Amino acid sequence: MTVSLPHLTDVRPNVPVERLLADLVPPRHFAAASFGSYRADPVHPSQQATVDRLVEVAAGLSASSTGWLKRLVGARSGSQVAIYLDGGFGVGKTHLLASLAHAVGTEASAYGTFVEYTNLVGALGFAKTVEALSTKRLVCIDEFELDDPGDTVLMSRLLRELADRGISLAATSNTLPDSLGEGRFAADDFLREIQAMSARFEVLRVDGEDYRHRTLVAGASSVSDSAVADAVRGRPGALIDDFDELLSHLSHVHPSRYGALLDTVTLLGLTGVHPVSDQSAALRLVVLVDRLYDRDVPVLLGGSGEADLFSDEMRAGGYRKKYYRALSRLGSLAADGRELVEQAV
């Protein structure tokens, strides 16, 4: 008798507005992130310099900062700040941003990706989002997107409203891997797009190599579709989906619900993986990869695997930063999936 395996396409998540607000904390992958657990590379002194500055910022924003910690930050203690972490993929910017949120306190800070904040505005409305976030001392925005003019204007206005209310801000974005260390391009783009807010932001450069050690397309060999099915079978929380069917399912689920889609998933196996030709489908896949990475969900890729998943044209276009980030993260998750399977053998 053939036993039907569970699929992600069977999941229909319901996400109330209250959860959108409650989820504005560092994700599972960075639940234990701290400045102490960040391993600054001595080859790139900007990493330790950034840690040192963020320690100052956290101490100044922490309501419990007293004694030697207050003396450490001196005149800057308690002052409003706006920080932008500028650097390439995999240098630990998200780790540092999550560490800052933890250091200030998850009750006093809000932490989310650019997409999560735009989704929040869509669900609550602009005025109510400002009111909700104004209860915090610090708002952290990970992966600030510069490729959608409408969303960028929306977020620029949101940041301005929050800053005018005395809320401190911290954001990250990415420099392309082929920028050869000239990361000012990312910083300049960010400051230009937020226009009226640009003078308030202090840019902290984080140099270094992608710690995930992936090539632009990770290039790891794929797993056969039958091996994917064997790995999923009998494993609690493991799901398997045909790649095309999953892409179709994602088109019917709002991206704000992708996290809830993965609530109980411990391993995701995908069969029939192939290059994605439709950009809308590719961008939805990018969001799913981000949520998988946030939640440390290993993946197994059948079919052609990661090879040429996004075309050269996509990786050279306006959404290229999203695709490079997704490939770096997917490569890491695929390696975790293969290791999981090998351990079970």
Side-chain angles (χ1 to χ4, degrees):
M1 182 179 67
T2 301
V3 178
S4 178
L5 297 175
H7 306 294
L8 197 60
T9 53
D10 296 329
V11 182
R12 301 290 190 276
N14 178 35
V15 183
V17 170
E18 294 76 18
R19 173 166 177 173
L20 294 177
L21 288 168
D23 281 352
L24 290 179
V25 295
R28 182 191 310 163
H29 186 79
F30 298 101
S34 68
F35 296 128
S37 64
Y38 180 81
R39 296 292 177 257
D41 186 346
V43 176
H44 300 284
S46 63
Q47 294 186 7
Q48 186 59 52
T50 298
V51 171
D52 294 341
R53 175 63 182 126
L54 291 180
V55 168
E56 288 184 334
V57 169
L61 292 175
S62 174
S64 61
S65 296
T66 57
W68 69 270
L69 202 51
K70 283 282 190 182
R71 293 193 294 273
L72 171 67
V73 299
R76 286 194 275 194
S77 179
S79 61
Q80 181 188 14
V81 297
I83 299 291
Y84 171 74
L85 301 181
D86 177 39
F89 301 91
V91 296
K93 299 187 307 303
T94 298
H95 183 123
L96 291 172
L97 191 68
S99 299
L100 178 61
H102 283 306
V104 173
T106 54
E107 292 299 319
S109 62
Y111 179 103
T113 63
F114 181 94
V115 172
E116 286 172 319
Y117 285 111
T118 56
N119 289 338
L120 183 64
V121 172
L124 279 181
F126 187 85
K128 289 186 177 180
T129 298
V130 172
E131 290 299 324
L133 296 179
S134 292
T135 64
K136 308 294 185 179
R137 285 196 296 276
L138 171 70
V139 171
C140 299
I141 308 99
D142 195 26
E143 303 295 355
F144 198 100
E145 306 287 6
L146 300 172
D147 44 45
D148 186 302
D151 283 347
T152 302
V153 169
L154 173 68
M155 282 299 294
S156 180
R157 181 187 168 202
L158 179 63
L159 296 187
R160 185 171 64 251
E161 291 274 354
L162 293 173
D164 287 346
R165 293 178 179 228
I167 310 303
S168 290
L169 307 169
T172 75
S173 187
N174 283 111
T175 300
L176 285 175
D178 58 0
S179 292
L180 301 178
E182 301 173 13
R184 311 317 307 168
F185 290 127
D188 290 347
D189 288 346
F190 173 80
L191 295 176
R192 183 183 66 250
E193 293 297 333
I194 62 173
Q195 298 174 12
M197 282 288 297
S198 62
R200 305 194 196 191
F201 272 85
E202 174 186 355
V203 177
L204 300 179
R205 175 67 185 164
V206 188
D207 297 297
E209 303 297 326
D210 185 344
Y211 78 94
R212 289 182 284 265
H213 299 296
R214 303 293 167 186
T215 57
L216 298 185
V217 177
S221 59
S222 61
V223 180
S224 70
D225 286 352
S226 60
V228 171
D230 289 342
V232 168
R233 187 174 290 107
R235 187 182 295 271
L239 303 182
I240 187 170
D241 283 270
D242 173 80
F243 189 59
D244 283 328
E245 290 180 4
L246 178 60
L247 292 180
S248 176
H249 182 57
L250 293 179
S251 69
H252 300 290
V253 179
H254 193 276
S256 65
R257 299 181 178 183
Y258 286 9
L261 197 65
L262 302 168
D263 275 348
T264 61
V265 181
T266 61
L267 172 69
L268 179 61
L270 295 176
T271 59
V273 178
H274 60 80
V276 182
S277 58
D278 178 74
Q279 183 143 264
S280 295
L283 290 173
R284 287 190 288 267
L285 179 60
V286 166
V287 177
L288 180 67
V289 170
D290 284 342
R291 300 292 80 78
L292 287 164
Y293 186 78
D294 286 346
R295 288 156 177 75
D296 286 328
V297 178
V299 301
L300 286 173
L301 302 176
S304 61
E306 300 155 83
D308 301 318
L309 188 60
F310 305 119
S311 69
D312 290 342
E313 182 180 7
M314 287 182 181
R315 288 186 282 116
Y319 300 108
R320 58 195 182 279
K321 292 183 181 181
K322 293 184 180 182
Y323 295 133
Y324 281 112
R325 181 182 75 235
L327 289 169
S328 176
R329 290 179 167 184
L330 188 59
S332 178
L333 295 174
D336 291 342
R338 290 190 296 273
E339 182 178 355
L340 193 66
V341 172
E342 289 169 359
Q343 291 174 349
V345 175

